[in-house]
Amino acid sequence: MSSRINIARPSSASYNVDPHGMSNSRPSPAYRAAPSNPDDPIEKLRQYASKIEDYVDIYSQPLRPHLPAIGRFLIVVTFLEDALRIVTQWGDQLWYLQKHRHFPWGLSHLFLLLNVVVMLGGSTLTITRRHTEFAVAGLLSVVIIQGFGYGLIFDMNFFLRNLSVIGGLLMVFSDSMSTRKKGFAGLPMLSETDRKKYFQLTGRVLLIFLFLGFMIQGKWSFSRFLVSLVGLGACGMVAVGFKAKWSAAFLVIILSVFNVFVNNWWSVHSAHPQRDFLKYDFFQTLSIVGGLLLLVNMGPGGLSVDEKKKIF
């Protein structure tokens, strides 16, 4: 029966697709995006930024699988160095705590021993990615306890540097987060992904405080002003998450060069008191570089301009 029914459109020339004349006789032109002006400075800046981002992706590709491990190791290297320094200078540390900080005998020993155990244990767990939440919590407590114990909590340079170290530890914590949801029935809860976004935002904002500390200390010169101006722009881009990967890579280069030439503790005599301060600053800067490497590897997270650009 189906062979007797023809449901095809008539092929004769008399067939009119619009018998009532309701359609527009002129064909509508295809949509064309407005051509970009190559002389526009914003367009040039966008092209340069895209090229830099491409170069970062290309040259970091061989290191990309190893960036998380390198970043985690560099973040905890300051704690490892601090633990080794306490052990090798045990008598001097006790003398300082008892003489200048008025720690009673026994409490000073317990204070140093607790710091060494927590720093070594937390650093080992961070490197091996085991029980990261407990490792980060322990290392955070060391940062706070040492600030009060050594009386450096109100020192601006110490405060800014340790804010950056805390930012690096938060980046470690966010890197270890999974997408599982944890919570109690009947109670509002945040998924691990949502919490990860907030930790990444807090971590990347805190990371830039080391560079701010670099800007407010030392003597000013034209080269220092130029580097500070460019670095401040990169810090702002990291904070808001705009082109965050190559901005973080740029800060890694700047801080690494600064660290080698300014905090060169190996060139100072072992008996010089400035040697320990330079060594402390050197390894703390390495920790912030590790946090920035994790940022290069993970990206800025959901609460960032880069992520919003992907949506809109």
Side-chain angles (χ1 to χ4, degrees):
M1 180 180 294
S2 60
S3 61
R4 299 173 58 185
I5 301 176
N6 186 8
I7 60 175
R9 182 175 291 177
S11 58
S12 61
S14 61
Y15 176 73
N16 187 4
V17 297
D18 185 28
H20 301 289
M22 299 295 291
S23 65
N24 188 0
S25 60
R26 293 178 298 175
S28 59
Y31 173 77
R32 293 180 180 179
S36 58
N37 183 11
D39 296 328
D40 186 6
I42 298 180
E43 183 64 27
K44 288 183 177 180
L45 182 62
R46 186 181 294 111
Q47 293 175 1
Y48 290 143
S50 299
K51 288 181 180 179
I52 293 174
E53 196 168 5
D54 291 339
Y55 287 143
V56 170
D57 289 335
I58 292 172
Y59 290 108
S60 64
Q61 196 66 32
L63 287 175
R64 190 171 294 275
H66 310 289
L67 281 182
I70 296 173
R72 289 195 304 271
F73 174 75
L74 289 179
I75 285 174
V76 301
V77 73
T78 185
F79 297 100
L80 295 173
E81 186 276 333
D82 198 17
L84 179 62
R85 180 167 51 87
I86 290 176
V87 172
T88 56
Q89 300 177 2
W90 185 265
D92 295 336
Q93 296 285 330
L94 288 176
W95 177 84
Y96 177 81
L97 291 176
Q98 295 172 7
K99 183 72 174 179
H100 295 278
R101 300 302 300 163
H102 307 293
F103 273 60
W105 192 95
L107 183 59
S108 57
H109 295 73
L110 181 61
F111 177 81
L112 294 179
L113 182 62
L114 185 63
N115 273 271
V116 171
V117 171
V118 173
M119 286 191 289
L120 291 178
S123 299
T124 303
L125 292 176
T126 300
I127 294 173
T128 57
R129 300 191 70 174
R130 299 180 61 185
H131 306 291
T132 307
E133 61 276 12
F134 298 109
V136 170
L139 296 176
L140 282 174
S141 65
V142 166
V143 172
I144 298 172
I145 290 173
Q146 283 193 354
F148 286 102
Y150 287 97
L152 298 173
I153 193 67
F154 297 111
D155 182 84
M156 183 58 66
N157 186 30
F158 175 87
F159 183 73
L160 293 177
R161 282 179 171 274
N162 279 278
L163 280 181
S164 294
V165 172
I166 291 173
L169 291 174
L170 292 180
M171 296 299 292
V172 170
F173 184 63
S174 62
D175 181 48
S176 67
M177 280 185 166
S178 62
T179 57
R180 294 176 301 173
K181 292 183 178 181
K182 297 180 181 179
F184 297 97
L187 293 177
M189 61 182 179
L190 285 173
S191 68
E192 293 292 323
T193 304
D194 293 332
R195 278 188 278 183
K196 180 176 180 177
K197 292 190 296 186
Y198 291 109
F199 278 113
Q200 282 181 291
L201 171 63
T202 308
R204 72 170 191 262
V205 170
L206 292 179
L207 277 173
I208 67 174
F209 279 93
L210 173 69
F211 198 86
L212 298 180
F214 161 74
M215 291 178 58
I216 64 175
Q217 65 175 349
K219 296 181 180 179
W220 282 94
S221 62
F222 177 75
S223 58
R224 182 186 179 88
F225 172 77
L226 187 62
V227 171
S228 299
L229 184 64
V230 176
L232 185 61
C235 288
M237 295 171 71
V238 167
V240 301
F242 175 67
K243 300 295 182 182
K245 285 189 174 183
W246 72 262
S247 300
F250 174 76
L251 287 177
V252 166
I253 297 173
I254 292 294
L255 289 176
S256 299
V257 173
F258 165 81
N259 206 24
V260 171
F261 287 99
V262 176
N263 296 326
N264 51 350
W265 56 271
W266 53 87
S267 64
V268 180
H269 193 273
S270 58
H272 199 286
Q274 192 66 20
R275 180 184 174 93
D276 281 343
F277 290 102
L278 290 175
K279 184 187 291 188
Y280 177 80
D281 291 344
F282 177 84
F283 284 102
Q284 273 213 329
T285 305
L286 282 184
S287 294
I288 287 99
V289 168
L292 290 170
L293 286 178
L294 286 183
L295 177 58
V296 172
N297 179 69
M298 292 189 300
L303 300 176
S304 63
V305 176
D306 289 344
E307 195 68 23
K308 298 303 179 184
K309 286 171 63 179
K310 295 178 183 178
I311 299 176
F312 298 103

